[in-house]
Amino acid sequence: NAGVTQTPKFQVLKTGQSMTLQCAQDMNHNSMYWYRQDPGMGLRLIYYSASEGTTDKGEVPNGYNVSRLNKREFSLRLESAAPSQTSVYFCGVGTGVDEKLFFGSGTQLSVL
Amino acid sequence: QQQVKQSPQSLIVQKGGISIINCAYENTAFDYFPWYQQFPGKGPALLIAIRPDVSEKKEGRFTISFNKSAKQFSLHIMDSQPGDSATYFCAACWGNYGQNFVFGPGTRLSVLP
């Protein structure tokens, strides 16, 4: 997971609270992604950014917002957390050549 | 049609045995099929990948077999080791874009010493 740094590693929220998950890469690639991982469901794409200044919705965007702050950083915000957002969140970076995805070590989020 | 099905959900193999994980897809537009390995507390890491113009790809103890007509592909781990114990995800993608990845639900492999 070298090159993709996610913070925090763990977070517990109460329903309705907000928080921002941070992701930074030092791989100098354009594409960045936010996924959530739930048991038995694999990885599902929340939002992605093909390049600095652009963001697009993925498969499960409801309840989330993102910001591509610069080429290195891509943040995911939960404005009003819900128990259904309890999950493990992964930031990914894509190489653009055969699109190899590199992932951070994840954020385990619990919403009570 | 966007689903990738994966089986089994969990697998227990003795050390030295062969681990086999199967995946199936419907969308014929998929043109890139990677496998990811994930250890507890870590993010998934690319293990091996194949394109549909070949039927098999081998890297060390890991082999992907691909059957285009059946729309199936599988991961074989030869001489399985306890260090291979992890969750394995197959995926399918079209167009070389990460936003087009579809992941299978994962297989938890345990290799007994």
Side-chain angles (χ1 to χ4, degrees):
Chain A
N1 300 343
V4 185
T5 303
Q6 283 184 243
T7 54
K9 283 191 173 295
F10 302 95
Q11 184 72 47
V12 179
L13 293 177
K14 294 181 179 179
T15 298
Q17 288 185 317
S18 62
M19 78 161 296
T20 299
L21 282 67
Q22 306 285 355
C23 177
Q25 56 132 338
D26 60 6
M27 306 176 77
N28 199 34
H29 292 308
N30 287 319
S31 304
M32 298 186 74
Y33 306 88
W34 277 107
Y35 286 90
R36 61 178 288 171
Q37 183 177 48
D38 301 293
M41 300 190 72
L43 290 151
R44 292 183 294 167
L45 183 64
I46 304 171
Y47 270 94
Y48 67 96
S49 171
S51 62
E52 184 180 352
T54 68
T55 60
D56 282 290
K57 296 178 181 179
E59 179 186 355
V60 288
N62 291 344
Y64 306 95
N65 284 300
V66 291
S67 295
R68 181 74 182 266
L69 304 170
N70 47 54
K71 189 172 184 178
R72 289 188 65 247
E73 297 172 291
F74 188 37
S75 62
L76 178 71
R77 182 159 178 85
L78 287 70
E79 290 291 352
S80 178
S84 61
Q85 295 178 304
T86 293
S87 188
V88 182
Y89 292 85
F90 288 99
C91 175
V93 174
T95 61
V97 177
D98 277 346
E99 198 60 334
K100 294 178 177 62
L101 291 178
F102 294 90
F103 291 93
S105 57
T107 296
Q108 189 167 323
L109 174 66
S110 295
V111 182
L112 306 177
Chain B
Q1 203 174 19
Q2 291 298 87
Q3 264 191 324
V4 174
K5 297 179 181 179
Q6 183 172 347
S7 63
Q9 186 174 351
S10 62
L11 180 62
I12 299 174
V13 173
Q14 292 287 338
K15 179 182 176 181
I18 301 173
S19 304
I20 302 174
I21 304 170
N22 300 299
C23 286
Y25 63 97
E26 290 294 327
N27 188 348
T28 55
F30 289 137
D31 59 3
Y32 178 62
F33 302 88
W35 285 88
Y36 282 79
Q37 179 188 55
Q38 184 180 29
F39 294 105
K42 302 292 186 182
L46 179 64
L47 184 63
I48 186 172
I50 196 168
R51 291 201 175 272
D53 53 344
V54 296
S55 60
E56 186 175 281
K57 183 174 182 180
K58 184 176 181 179
E59 290 184 1
R61 295 185 294 108
F62 300 90
T63 299
I64 300 178
S65 296
F66 187 84
N67 186 329
K68 188 174 181 179
S69 60
K71 291 184 282 187
Q72 296 175 348
F73 58 110
S74 59
L75 176 69
H76 297 235
I77 306 174
M78 311 300 287
D79 186 26
S80 298
Q81 299 297 313
D84 297 329
S85 297
T87 299
Y88 293 81
F89 294 94
C90 62
C93 177
W94 74 95
N96 261 5
Y97 298 109
Q99 59 266 33
N100 296 337
F101 271 65
V102 179
F103 286 87
T107 295
R108 181 173 291 185
L109 171 66
S110 297
V111 181
L112 303 179

